[in-house]
């Protein structure tokens, strides 16, 4: 166990939840209990306050994190690299051209080798199965930085942002309008874990995956939350405490962009949709935003928007995960 002497480690690292998280993977929101998720938020809050106050916290000194990017990124790369630096460790960027995965080396062999050099691996890729295989063969913690199925780090930063503004999450209504994609899947699971009412409005054929909706429904039953899937964006937005959207064509879907623009236009997050929500509604977007498509300028830059806090909180929440998993 890492000594508290000389490092001024915070007492929350002695909690049973913190001890249970050490050395674990984070591949999906379901991997963590509600108590463990609440600890992540508590640690993120503390690390954010320390960073804002200029108090150094190099508690991962000597640790190295590999950043495996099969998909390009702005916020994920910068927030993990800066976060590791602020925690006293170092990060190593491994792009698609830097590894041998594209030239026949198996994920299992890559996992075994990287585990001999690194203290943790963050991977952003296409298939969830690739992340799960990497974690199965790695002997160090693996963090899911995004797959086509899930975006768990984003969902934690999102709910941390809502919690900052509204306090307790239970009972709040979060309405996601747009593609039932990886962001929607992770919001369904995370919101259900905290007893929120999560509504998703998508065009026919673009609803979230049925098995994940069913899983979120079971979680919501246990926490007092609720899950609603609809094709009506106005019904989803009615009285919502949070309005959330994402791009209509994600990375790899560029060929479908024109068709998606036509189908998704009625789901645009605009002034009319905001007018139907709660008076103090929070507007969220995981970025990058295509202004004038899924969200209008006046809403993205308007008084209800917390999009920039949401983007910043990727840093603080991921630092909390790194500290709890890698220390």
């Amino acid at each position: 166990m890492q000594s508290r002497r000389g490092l001024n480690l915070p007492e929350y690292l002695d909690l049973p939840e913190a001890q249970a998280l050490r050395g674990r993977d984070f591949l999906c929101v379901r991997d963590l209990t509600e108590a463990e998720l609440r600890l992540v938020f508590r640690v993120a809050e503390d690390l954010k306050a320390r960073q804002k106050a200029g108090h150094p916290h190099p508690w991962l000194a000597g640790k190295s994190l590999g950043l495996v990017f099969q998909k390009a990124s702005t916020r994920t790369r910068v927030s993990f690299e800066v976060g590791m630096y602020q925690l006293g460790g170092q990060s190593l960027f491994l792009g698609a051209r830097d590894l041998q995965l594209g030239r026949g080396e198996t994920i299992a062999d890559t996992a075994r080798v990287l585990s001999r050099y690194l203290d943790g691996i963050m991977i952003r890729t296409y298939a969830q199965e690739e992340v799960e295989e990497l974690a199965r063969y790695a002997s160090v913690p693996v963090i899911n930085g995004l797959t086509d199925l899930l975006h768990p780090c984003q969902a934690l930063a999102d709910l941390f942002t809502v919690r900052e503004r509204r306090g307790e999450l239970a009972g709040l209504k979060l309405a996601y309008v747009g593609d039932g994609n990886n962001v929607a899947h992770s919001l369904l699971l995370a919101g259900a874990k905290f007893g929120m009412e999560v509504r998703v409005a998508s065009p026919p054929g673009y609803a979230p995956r049925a098995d994940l909706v069913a899983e979120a429904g079971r979680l919501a039953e246990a926490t007092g939350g609720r899950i609603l899937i609809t094709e009506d964006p106005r019904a989803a937005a009615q009285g919502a405490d949070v309005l959330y959207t994402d791009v209509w064509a994600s990375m790899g879907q560029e060929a479908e962009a024109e068709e998606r623009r036509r189908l998704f236009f009625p789901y645009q997050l605009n002034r009319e949709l905001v007018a139907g929500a709660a008076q103090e509604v929070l507007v969220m977007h995981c970025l990058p935003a295509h202004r004038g498509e899924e969200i209008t300028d006046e809403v993205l830059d308007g008084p209800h928007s917390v999009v920039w806090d949401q983007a910043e909180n990727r840093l603080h929440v991921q630092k909390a995960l790194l500290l709890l998993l890698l220390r």
Side-chain angles (χ1 to χ4, degrees):
M1 181 180 296
Q2 196 171 24
S3 170
R4 184 184 297 282
R5 185 178 303 167
L7 293 177
N8 295 318
L9 290 171
E11 292 183 354
Y12 52 64
L13 293 179
D14 293 331
L15 292 171
E17 295 89 344
Q19 296 298 321
L21 282 168
R22 193 174 186 187
R24 293 249 300 273
D25 302 316
F26 179 60
L27 311 185
C28 174
V29 172
R30 78 166 71 86
D31 293 344
L32 272 59
T33 66
E34 183 185 344
E36 290 167 346
L37 291 170
R38 288 187 183 281
L39 177 63
V40 172
F41 288 169
R42 176 180 172 182
V43 176
E45 191 175 53
D46 177 59
L47 294 177
K48 184 173 183 177
R50 289 176 189 267
Q51 187 63 30
K52 298 286 185 189
H55 296 160
H57 41 280
W59 298 325
L60 291 184
K63 303 280 187 180
S64 297
L65 175 71
L67 302 174
V68 178
F69 279 87
Q70 300 291 84
K71 276 187 170 183
S73 165
T74 300
R75 280 151 294 279
T76 299
R77 176 175 178 178
V78 174
S79 55
F80 269 107
E81 285 195 357
V82 171
M84 204 57 190
Y85 170 78
Q86 291 179 358
L87 287 167
Q90 66 171 355
S91 59
L92 180 66
F93 177 80
L94 299 165
R97 296 180 180 177
D98 301 314
L99 294 173
Q100 306 299 317
L101 285 170
R103 291 195 290 168
E105 185 167 31
T106 67
I107 291 175
D109 289 350
T110 301
R112 293 182 179 108
V113 171
L114 292 182
S115 297
R116 298 296 181 107
Y117 301 132
L118 301 166
D119 300 288
I121 303 169
M122 190 290 305
I123 179 169
R124 180 181 169 97
T125 189
Y126 295 89
Q128 179 72 15
E129 293 75 14
E130 293 177 358
V131 177
E132 292 172 0
E133 185 175 358
L134 186 75
R136 190 158 58 249
Y137 290 98
S139 58
V140 298
V142 171
I143 298 172
N144 180 358
L146 175 141
T147 66
D148 290 345
L149 184 68
L150 298 170
H151 201 352
C153 291
Q154 179 69 57
L156 290 194
D158 296 339
L159 296 197
F160 178 76
T161 305
V162 175
R163 181 177 169 273
E164 280 187 325
R165 297 297 186 115
R166 293 289 181 268
E168 187 56 49
L169 295 170
L172 293 180
K173 301 177 181 65
L174 185 154
Y176 174 98
V177 287
D179 192 10
N181 60 12
N182 49 5
V183 174
H185 292 155
S186 290
L187 285 172
L188 281 165
L189 296 173
K193 281 251 183 184
F194 284 103
M196 300 176 74
E197 180 173 319
V198 184
R199 308 164 177 175
V200 177
S202 308
Y206 293 90
R209 249 177 52 169
D211 58 332
L212 291 172
V213 172
E215 181 179 354
R218 290 191 293 273
L219 290 171
E221 282 182 10
T223 62
R226 185 167 180 254
I227 300 299
L228 173 67
I229 306 299
T230 178
E231 294 176 1
D232 185 346
R234 286 172 178 75
Q238 188 64 41
D241 301 291
V242 181
L243 281 177
Y244 196 121
T245 192
D246 190 8
V247 293
W248 292 337
S250 298
M251 203 176 301
Q253 298 171 333
E254 290 81 1
E256 307 170 28
E258 189 57 42
E259 174 68 0
R260 282 174 171 260
R261 267 194 290 273
R262 184 181 67 78
L263 290 170
F264 281 85
F265 189 73
Y267 296 81
Q268 184 185 65
L269 182 43
N270 53 30
R271 182 196 306 172
E272 290 72 28
L273 214 57
V274 172
Q279 190 171 3
E280 302 299 325
V281 65
L282 303 177
V283 168
M284 307 187 82
H285 191 305
C286 55
L287 301 176
H290 291 180
R291 291 169 177 263
E293 291 191 7
E294 75 274 3
I295 192 168
T296 59
D297 282 339
E298 65 178 343
V299 172
L300 183 62
D301 299 324
H304 296 287
S305 175
V306 294
V307 168
W308 314 117
D309 288 345
Q310 181 187 359
E312 178 191 335
N313 284 333
R314 291 286 304 276
L315 170 67
H316 307 299
V317 172
Q318 288 163 187
K319 282 174 65 179
L321 281 172
L322 290 169
L323 179 60
L324 289 164
L325 302 180
L326 268 60
R327 74 186 191 287

